[in-house]
Amino acid sequence: MRNVILLSFTLLLIPACNLSSGSPPLTIETLRAQVTTTPADAPSSTPFPNVTSFPPAIPSPSTDGPTGKIVYTCQVSGNQICIINPDGTGFLQLTSDPIRHWYASFSPDGSSVIYSAYAKDNVFEIYELNLTNGITTQLTHELGVLIAPEISPDGMSIVFTWGNAAGASQIWVMGRDGKNPHRINSLGWDPTWSPDGKQILFASWWEGARQLFVMNANGSGEKKITAFDALRGRSDWSPDGQWMVAYNGPEWHREVFIFRPDFSDLRQLTPAGGNSQGPSFSPDGKWVTFTSYFDHYGDDLGCEIYIIRVDGTDLRRLTDNAYCDYQPRWGP
């Protein structure tokens, strides 16, 4: 029997799971079916077993096949961080401690994974796991509800979503070592860097409906760039800066869309019927990974990791489990 811990605050998590697009921003309560045990206090720096055997990415025999690695949240035992090669090989569970883990992403060089994890009620911390030596380092200390961290392209800064028990959702930035955390936007979530690190793409409802916005890395120059009818949150920017991806649509009918940064050349990327969500570009910009339910449609735990070419062809499934795999992020 699950021992479910409910948090009292409204938290703007936008995971790849089936929640109504007409509802208010997501809350911890809506994710209660995904959590399991009460966590022990996490150490600030601990070695993680088996990471030293981290498998190398295995390129496809095709000259333009997918390369790199994909990190994601896997519900193998609660919410853990897992990793897989883009051809479906090399699966490895990176975390196993009994706390909930979310929103993993790679460092620019692929040598580490950064993620958010539950510490105690109303507190999520940010951790970085070094894939070379297996050391996990806690970067933050009781700042609030910290989720969706991403390291800047130059490796010097981390952008993340900050929340609190009152329901706030803001964009913050701090140093790679966790120092000098500060707010740069007072209403937003799911931030991601532009390829050159000069701008940040994020979701917000400044003008009513949820849309994507872009701002400078210091929080200035904010502008709305999308006009979706049912935007969720998780998005990404292609490595060459020429394209963006996001997901949109009503419950069980969500799709991944690709478009220019000025919202031109908009087209649906994923085939209809999968309830597709949470996209991320490959390092070469030729592929997109995402969560979908193509093979288990209608099953709340049926979400799996897929990849597809940016022209909408060559759909491939990477996982097939009795639990949900979601929030994929592609790295080198």
Side-chain angles (χ1 to χ4, degrees), residues 86-167:
D87 65 354
T89 65
F91 169 84
L92 183 65
Q93 183 181 331
L94 296 181
T95 62
S96 59
D97 48 318
I99 62 175
R100 284 97 74 189
H101 311 77
W102 319 88
Y103 284 102
S105 61
F106 284 100
S107 61
D109 63 1
S111 66
S112 68
V113 166
I114 191 170
Y115 60 88
S116 171
Y118 175 88
K120 61 182 181 180
D121 286 4
N122 300 328
V123 177
F124 275 62
E125 304 290 8
I126 294 174
Y127 296 83
E128 184 168 3
L129 169 59
N130 187 309
L131 297 174
T132 301
N133 59 26
I135 299 296
T136 299
T137 302
Q138 182 176 333
L139 301 179
T140 58
H141 300 276
E142 300 194 14
L143 288 175
V145 181
L146 314 182
I147 62 170
E150 288 202 358
I151 300 171
S152 59
D154 65 5
M156 301 299 291
S157 302
I158 296 171
V159 68
F160 58 94
T161 305
W162 176 93
N164 64 11

Side-chain angles (χ1 to χ4, degrees), residues 67-69 239 281-287 330-332:
T67 59
K69 301 175 286 290
F281 279 103
S282 62
D284 63 7
K286 296 179 179 180
W287 298 79
W330 210 320

Side-chain angles (χ1 to χ4, degrees), residues 181-203:
H182 60 282
R183 184 184 69 188
I184 61 170
N185 183 278
S186 61
L187 184 58
W189 64 92
D190 279 353
T192 189
W193 298 93
S194 64
D196 61 7
K198 294 181 179 180
Q199 293 182 300
I200 295 170
L201 175 67
F202 66 102

